[in-house]
Amino acid sequence: MRKQFLYCILACTALGTEANALNIPKTYVPKNKSMYHKEWIDFNKNGQKDVYEDPNADINARIEDLLSQMTMEEKTCQMVTLYGYQRVLKDSLPTSEWKNQLWKDGIGAIDEHLNAFRGWGVPPLKNDLVWPASNHAWALNEVQRFFIEETRLGIPVDFTNEGIRGVENYIATNFPTQLALGHSWNRDLIHKVGYITGREARLLGYTNVYAPILDVGRDQRWGRYEEVYGESPYLVAELGIEMAKGLQTDMQVASTAKHFIAYSNNKGAREGFARVDPQMSWREVENIHVYPFSRVIREAGILGVMSSYNDYDGFPIQGSYYWLTKRLRGEMGFRGYVVSDSDAVEYLYSKHKTAKDMKEAVRQSVEAGLNVRCTFRSPDSFVLPLRELVKEGGISMETIDNRVRDVLRVKFMLGLFDSPYQTDLELADKEVNSAEHQAVALQASREGLVLLKNQDNLLPLDKSKIRRIAVCGPNADEKSFALTHYGPVAVEVITVLEGIRNQVNEGTEVVYAKGCDLVDPHWPESEIIDYPLTGDEKKGIAEAVEKVKQSDVAVMVLGGGIRTCGENKSRTSLELPGHQQELLEAVMETGKPVVLVLINGRPLSINWADKFVPAILEAWYPGSQGGRAIAEALFGDYNPGGKLTVTFPKTVGQIPFNFPAKPASQVDGGQTPGMGGNQARINGPLYPFGYGLSYTTFEYSDMRLSSSVITDHQPVTVTCKVKNTGSRAGDEVVQLYMRDVVSSVTTYEKSLRGFERVHLEPGETKEVKFELLPRDFQLLDIDKHWVVEPGMFQLMIGASSEDIRLKKGLEIRAYGRGATGETIQSDPTDFISASKNASHIIHVVDGDYSTTWTGDKGEYISFELADNTKIDHMLVTWKNAEAGSTYEIQISSGGGQFLPVQKGAVKPNADDDIRFNLTSGSDIRILITSGKAEIAEVKLPELRKE
């Protein structure tokens, strides 16, 4: 039997043979039939049903039985990954030589085997074992059969693979990148993406998918921004939960989340070897980076976590018992296995210098809580020093047993000891990249689109009025954005140019000019030095301009790509790379209507485009069907409804600039530009978190709370109504934000605490409901405990983080104090303060002109303004005043700095409508600059009310 088995393997390893030469059956049947019984498999080949071989036995009993039979060599082999074909493994299928290799005693996992990815910038692998799907599944079954039939205990291998935009394979359903998926704000869609990814992975033979990414975006220069769902830890958690649940449906595959922990905010957003030293306080790490992992582990029960390269506060995560054991397993309840991110173990000595050599790095990692080392190196490099440590007493067998238990637990939970093979090979051909799955991918490509600008309703374009359309730019006919690492690598891709050609009316001419390359010959030095255009670049831009002149409208497809974004590709600037800006400006000079479509993996500082280009559509990396989705949106066959999950800074000089932020941490001083102004730097975002336009309009109304007073143990339901007040059907992402009005520690100005994407026909109204739990009001107090502090909370519903439409106050009382259910109204004096006579501030808003607040020279009274307020006057009623008394009106944009906007003389016993230039701010102040004056009333509609 074994000779026949090896003969078949050797005969089938010849690459390039025709698929039918392999004679792949519709159903896979293993060779050694004596092992395979009706309800169990004789893995150890002893002719009897051991406990670990019994599908009806308790899983813990099965683990312990198997563990008791394993040698030290077999146990240590379960603690390492063997990288797949042409990465480390030289063979696509088992050979007789495998009986002489380390993995003769088994292996924990085989990663990326036959998934067609061979390295960055290298064409994908193509042979008869890679595609079609049935061949691929058969090949992984054959590898699995080696470990079951040819090793002593027959422990199945865990086939791991990437899958953040569809399972990484030669062909599989190709979804947009995770950043684009995040912009859908659609939990149900993300669940479907997860399910399809896991389903196709298992059909192809994989059992463990490295997804979702739970890193939270903080620095827009970071190369891996394309891989995050967004900047809000709440949104990342919500979507991460759905992705993980979809993946792990019926335990079809394990979901391994990455990168644990504090990975996405390295110093200066640097990458490569410099993925170290995140610049964050421990409180921000907990609030932003720990939060998604904690919730996804608890609520989705993920079976894997990938430990990250970086350190935090001087301690490498890979060698940290605190993070990998105390926090991950002890507090979060993680019960799967921890796999290292590439060279994270090696970095303990090669980069972090907390270990003197590889052997010490292995010891530190395993003691910290690492279960499986995974990197592009021979498994011997980890296992051999690990065995030395065991023999020397450097690591106890108890520790080894604990680490191996976790690995075996995952394999049992995935059913690898009961159904180790993907037997329905024909089904793999039917379902992988099927039309049904493609429909979900198209939905994802559509829903990630965000309309950033639409001046004078240029979009959607009227097909009936366009006879010639020019499609220009380096991304117009580009496919590579859909074929990068971590997803399908060789699928058919619809470019924007193809999408537009397929979408226009018959007889409409579509002309194309690239215009310029994505980057220029001097890039990235051209980020800091303005190099002139080359002759070829001038010629390319001139060609594009000429074609635009002869067209009715131009669609400019610009942005980034695999050269400018992705792993190890952080940037210095956020401007359009290369000479794309020159191309855009030249086309705008034609006077033709211009639509800018952005395909990119991070927010870009497109200030010039925002000011001068009439319509802008952000597509991110929209997947293989992105060209179709974009064309549908341009011509109105689809109404874009995505909203930003990231902040667009106006310049890298504003970074860090993100959501959520502490109060007043992202505002600056002066507000008046120009030679005579007081503004010294650029203020505000280009586009804020949650922002996005539509071809229709929405009206918000009827915000209600199930109770305006609750205890710190109770949930609260928040509802509102949303109506489509336009003439087109469309999607609106309704967003719920929360603010703790007064707290013992500083909390975020706004925290996202709910969202729903709703589809509305013209004139249709729907009620949107949010359920807030006690955890949604928690803060990390001074003693590092998560608590709900009694007090007032402000709940806000809006179309973005800055476009708040509805507000309500909520009081939380300590449990046991009783809740009366009365409506809590904010006292207006809560938002007024004074340098002296503070008890009299009520007099300026009580409507009684006989009562006053009095201030001497140098004294002031301040008023807190509502969020996002712009103000150009205030009405002050003066009472008595000393002769010659003067005042100054000052406005603050945060940070305690007040700047003057108007000066004048006090007008005793008179109403004074004080005017000044329109400006925005958080507070306004009346300062008595000389003399003494009484203020009877202040009329200030912009005063914060709750």
Side-chain angles (χ1 to χ4, degrees):
M1 181 65 67
R2 182 169 178 269
K3 289 182 179 179
Q4 293 175 351
F5 166 61
L6 291 175
Y7 175 80
C8 175
I9 290 174
L10 292 169
C12 295
T13 53
L15 303 184
T17 53
E18 295 298 322
N20 57 14
L22 295 174
N23 194 26
I24 302 300
K26 293 182 179 180
T27 302
Y28 182 82
V29 179
K31 304 295 183 182
N32 188 356
K33 295 182 180 179
S34 64
M35 288 179 56
Y36 303 96
H37 301 275
K38 185 176 180 180
E39 295 181 353
W40 63 284
I41 301 171
D42 188 8
F43 289 103
N44 63 6
K45 308 156 195 74
N46 66 354
Q48 63 185 35
K49 185 193 292 185
D50 290 75
V51 174
Y52 85 90
E53 297 167 345
D54 184 357
N56 297 316
D58 175 75
I59 188 172
N60 290 321
R62 298 180 77 180
I63 292 169
E64 294 307 316
D65 180 59
L66 176 54
L67 198 62
S68 69
Q69 298 186 41
M70 296 173 70
T71 66
M72 187 267 286
E73 287 73 21
E74 289 165 334
K75 291 175 182 178
T76 52
C77 277
Q78 290 298 311
M79 297 178 63
V80 71
T81 285
L82 171 63
Y83 248 89
Y85 180 58
Q86 291 196 356
R87 307 304 297 280
V88 171
L89 191 56
K90 298 178 180 179
D91 309 302
S92 57
L93 290 171
T95 70
S96 58
E97 179 60 24
W98 283 27
K99 296 294 288 184
N100 300 317
Q101 298 293 334
L102 180 92
W103 49 93
K104 70 182 184 299
D105 294 314
I107 205 77
I110 296 181
D111 195 26
E112 297 190 34
H113 188 55
L114 294 173
N115 72 349
F117 180 77
R118 296 193 295 168
W120 302 102
V122 180
L125 171 70
K126 183 179 181 181
N127 65 47
D128 296 331
L129 300 181
V130 170
W131 191 256
S134 54
N135 289 23
H136 188 284
W138 176 86
L140 265 61
N141 280 338
E142 286 293 284
V143 175
Q144 186 71 279
R145 188 161 68 88
F146 170 84
F147 290 97
I148 291 172
E149 296 185 1
E150 299 296 318
T151 65
R152 188 179 73 93
L153 295 176
I155 300 173
V157 67
D158 189 11
F159 284 105
T160 58
N161 198 5
E162 303 289 349
I164 61 173
R165 51 182 187 83
V167 61
E168 184 162 44
N169 198 58
Y170 187 75
I171 291 177
T173 302
N174 183 295
F175 296 101
T177 50
Q178 195 167 293
L179 182 60
L181 291 172
H183 281 78
S184 72
W185 298 69
N186 187 334
R187 295 179 183 85
D188 180 63
L189 172 64
I190 302 305
H191 188 98
K192 289 178 181 177
V193 171
Y195 172 75
I196 291 170
T197 301
R199 174 70 173 169
E200 294 189 354
R202 193 63 180 250
L203 286 170
L204 288 163
Y206 299 110
T207 53
N208 193 323
V209 175
Y210 292 157
I213 289 181
L214 299 180
D215 302 318
V216 181
R218 304 311 285 161
D219 190 324
Q220 293 85 343
R221 296 169 297 180
W222 190 45
R224 303 190 82 167
Y225 230 72
E226 65 184 47
E227 298 178 13
V228 304
Y229 284 126
E231 295 172 354
S232 161
Y234 176 85
L235 179 133
V236 171
E238 291 286 308
L239 299 186
I241 288 167
E242 294 305 320
M243 182 70 176
K245 285 183 175 180
L247 282 164
Q248 293 192 170
T249 301
D250 299 326
M251 284 297 147
Q252 59 186 2
V253 296
S255 168
T256 293
K258 54 184 185 179
H259 306 84
F260 187 86
I261 197 148
Y263 177 72
S264 57
N265 197 25
N266 295 326
K267 190 174 182 179
R270 295 176 181 88
E271 276 212 271
F273 200 62
R275 282 181 261 198
V276 295
D277 199 19
Q279 302 290 288
M280 294 175 285
S281 69
W282 70 266
R283 189 178 298 278
E284 180 166 357
V285 169
E286 297 295 330
N287 285 327
I288 300 295
H289 299 277
V290 174
Y291 178 91
F293 276 96
S294 181
R295 284 197 56 201
V296 174
I297 288 167
R298 290 189 174 99
E299 296 175 47
I302 56 174
L303 297 180
V305 161
M306 180 178 286
S307 52
S308 57
Y309 300 123
N310 57 283
D311 60 339
Y312 175 66
D313 195 26
F315 296 93
I317 302 301
Q318 185 58 80
S320 172
Y321 180 85
Y322 171 79
W323 284 111
L324 297 187
T325 297
K326 183 177 180 180
R327 297 299 305 279
L328 183 61
R329 297 191 182 279
E331 293 184 17
M332 299 182 196
F334 177 64
R335 291 297 178 265
Y337 74 75
V338 177
V339 59
S340 66
D341 187 359
S342 194
D343 270 359
V345 174
E346 285 73 8
Y347 283 168
L348 293 181
Y349 73 89
S350 67
K351 177 166 63 176
H352 297 298
K353 307 297 183 183
T354 56
K356 65 178 181 179
D357 54 23
M358 180 61 181
K359 188 173 176 179
E360 175 61 15
V362 170
R363 188 195 66 77
Q364 289 182 10
S365 297
V366 172
E367 291 284 3
L370 178 69
N371 297 102
V372 175
R373 194 285 299 266
C374 175
T375 193
F376 312 102
R377 300 172 187 266
S378 165
D380 303 60
S381 61
F382 179 84
V383 172
L384 296 183
L386 178 60
R387 290 175 179 174
E388 288 181 15
L389 287 162
V390 174
K391 291 175 181 178
E392 297 167 356
I395 294 179
S396 69
M397 278 307 302
E398 180 183 9
T399 298
I400 297 296
D401 287 349
N402 286 336
R403 301 298 175 263
V404 176
R405 277 190 185 95
D406 298 325
V407 178
L408 296 178
R409 182 181 300 109
V410 171
K411 291 184 177 184
F412 276 111
M413 292 179 71
L414 292 174
L416 294 183
F417 286 89
D418 305 320
S419 301
Y421 303 111
Q422 199 297 81
T423 57
D424 196 340
L425 306 181
E426 186 179 27
L427 188 61
D429 288 333
K430 290 180 179 178
E431 285 199 32
V432 175
N433 201 36
S434 65
E436 181 182 4
H437 293 177
Q438 284 295 315
V440 178
L442 177 59
Q443 179 191 359
S445 296
R446 290 168 174 159
E447 293 197 9
L449 300 176
V450 183
L451 184 62
L452 297 178
K453 185 180 180 183
N454 194 20
Q455 182 179 321
D456 300 326
N457 295 316
L458 174 60
L459 292 177
L461 300 173
D462 189 341
K463 295 180 187 179
S464 66
K465 295 180 180 179
I466 297 175
R467 294 293 174 264
R468 199 165 193 260
I469 182 170
V471 183
C472 306
N475 277 335
D477 197 29
E478 183 59 52
K479 299 181 179 182
S480 62
F481 62 82
L483 302 173
T484 58
H485 193 15
Y486 303 122
V489 297
V491 297
E492 292 295 321
V493 179
I494 302 173
T495 68
V496 177
L497 178 61
E498 291 170 336
I500 290 174
R501 283 178 172 158
N502 295 336
Q503 204 72 22
V504 296
N505 289 342
E506 185 177 353
T508 298
E509 184 182 6
V510 179
V511 297
Y512 163 70
K514 186 176 184 180
C516 69
D517 290 320
L518 192 75
V519 298
D520 61 85
H522 296 281
W523 201 84
E525 190 180 33
S526 55
E527 299 266 57
I528 59 174
I529 297 177
D530 188 15
Y531 283 96
L533 296 169
T534 66
D536 287 343
E537 288 173 326
K538 291 178 181 178
K539 183 178 178 181
I541 291 176
E543 178 189 2
V545 167
E546 190 58 32
K547 289 188 175 181
V548 171
K549 286 180 178 179
Q550 298 170 16
S551 302
D552 300 310
V553 64
V555 176
M556 304 297 297
V557 193
L558 310 178
I562 60 174
R563 177 68 180 87
T564 67
C565 195
E567 190 170 3
N568 299 320
K569 294 173 184 174
S570 295
R571 283 189 64 189
T572 306
S573 167
L574 292 179
E575 309 294 326
L576 285 168
H579 287 133
Q580 295 182 61
Q581 181 66 32
E582 288 89 334
L583 171 64
L584 181 61
E585 292 183 20
V587 168
M588 281 296 296
E589 288 179 3
T590 66
K592 298 286 184 169
V594 175
V595 178
L596 172 60
V597 175
L598 293 171
I599 293 179
N600 48 283
R602 61 161 62 84
L604 297 176
S605 297
I606 51 166
N607 298 287
W608 190 92
D610 177 69
K611 192 172 185 67
F612 297 110
V613 178
I616 305 173
L617 181 69
E618 174 62 77
W620 308 110
Y621 291 155
S624 61
Q625 299 205 54
R628 175 180 172 180
I630 290 167
E632 289 176 342
L634 293 178
F635 294 109
D637 298 290
Y638 177 75
N639 185 354
K643 301 273 189 168
L644 295 182
T645 65
V646 294
T647 304
F648 277 59
K650 293 177 179 176
T651 168
V652 293
Q654 294 175 295
I655 293 174
F657 198 86
N658 44 38
F659 177 91
K662 295 293 182 66
S665 64
Q666 295 186 166
V667 296
D668 287 295
Q671 302 289 322
T672 307
M675 296 178 65
N678 59 9
Q679 185 176 346
R681 66 178 299 170
I682 294 297
N683 298 330
L686 183 60
Y687 306 112
F689 179 90
Y691 171 84
L693 305 177
S694 173
Y695 296 154
T696 188
T697 54
F698 300 95
E699 179 182 87
Y700 290 61
S701 65
D702 297 328
M703 181 178 180
R704 299 177 186 274
L705 308 184
S706 57
S707 176
S708 59
V709 181
I710 62 173
T711 74
D712 50 8
H713 289 190
Q714 290 178 306
V716 63
T717 300
V718 183
T719 59
C720 73
K721 292 181 179 178
V722 181
K723 180 179 181 180
N724 183 344
T725 53
S727 59
R728 289 177 177 269
D731 291 0
E732 177 69 337
V733 178
V734 185
Q735 301 157 47
L736 174 67
Y737 296 90
M738 179 273 291
R739 181 176 183 177
D740 193 340
V741 176
V742 178
S743 50
S744 62
V745 297
T746 304
T747 57
Y748 295 106
E749 190 170 33
K750 292 186 185 79
S751 292
L752 183 69
R753 283 297 178 262
F755 59 87
E756 291 294 334
R757 182 170 183 143
V758 293
H759 180 79
L760 294 168
E761 296 295 323
E764 183 182 8
T765 299
K766 286 184 179 178
E767 184 177 79
V768 180
K769 180 183 293 186
F770 304 99
E771 184 82 6
L772 293 178
L773 303 176
R775 70 163 183 239
D776 294 313
F777 300 100
Q778 286 183 332
L779 58 77
L780 197 57
D781 69 11
I782 193 170
D783 296 318
K784 301 184 180 181
H785 296 142
W786 287 102
V787 299
V788 179
E789 291 187 342
M792 289 298 301
F793 292 79
Q794 186 176 65
L795 302 180
M796 300 158 276
I797 295 176
S800 82
S801 61
E802 292 192 358
D803 185 7
I804 300 299
R805 306 288 181 87
L806 305 168
K807 297 180 181 180
K808 285 284 185 181
L810 171 72
E811 184 184 16
I812 296 181
R813 294 178 177 175
Y815 179 74
R817 297 286 181 89
T820 63
E822 75 267 23
T823 300
I824 304 298
Q825 299 290 343
S826 299
D827 188 329
T829 60
D830 290 345
F831 310 107
I832 305 174
S833 59
S835 57
K836 78 168 195 177
N837 297 327
S839 62
H840 295 173
I841 57 177
I842 183 62
H843 298 325
V844 303
V845 290
D846 61 2
D848 184 350
Y849 288 82
S850 65
T851 59
T852 64
W853 173 86
T854 302
D856 295 305
K857 177 182 178 180
E859 304 295 342
Y860 59 81
I861 185 169
S862 297
F863 304 84
E864 187 177 352
L865 302 175
D867 291 339
N868 308 311
T869 293
K870 290 188 176 181
I871 187 171
D872 62 1
H873 77 287
M874 65 187 305
L875 183 63
V876 179
T877 300
W878 302 99
K879 194 75 170 177
N880 300 316
E882 290 182 353
S885 294
T886 59
Y887 69 87
E888 186 172 276
I889 304 299
Q890 301 176 336
I891 289 182
S892 172
S893 294
Q897 181 182 16
F898 283 81
L899 302 174
V901 294
Q902 187 57 278
K903 300 177 182 180
V906 174
K907 300 175 181 178
N909 301 304
D911 293 332
D912 191 359
D913 188 9
I914 303 172
R915 298 276 172 174
F916 40 86
N917 291 332
L918 184 67
T919 188
S920 59
S922 59
D923 302 84
I924 191 167
R925 172 177 291 177
I926 305 171
L927 171 68
I928 307 301
T929 51
S930 64
K932 182 178 182 179
E934 297 177 1
I935 299 175
E937 288 293 309
V938 174
K939 299 296 184 183
L940 191 64
E942 297 84 359
L943 178 67
R944 180 182 291 277
K945 295 180 175 60
E946 57 180 355

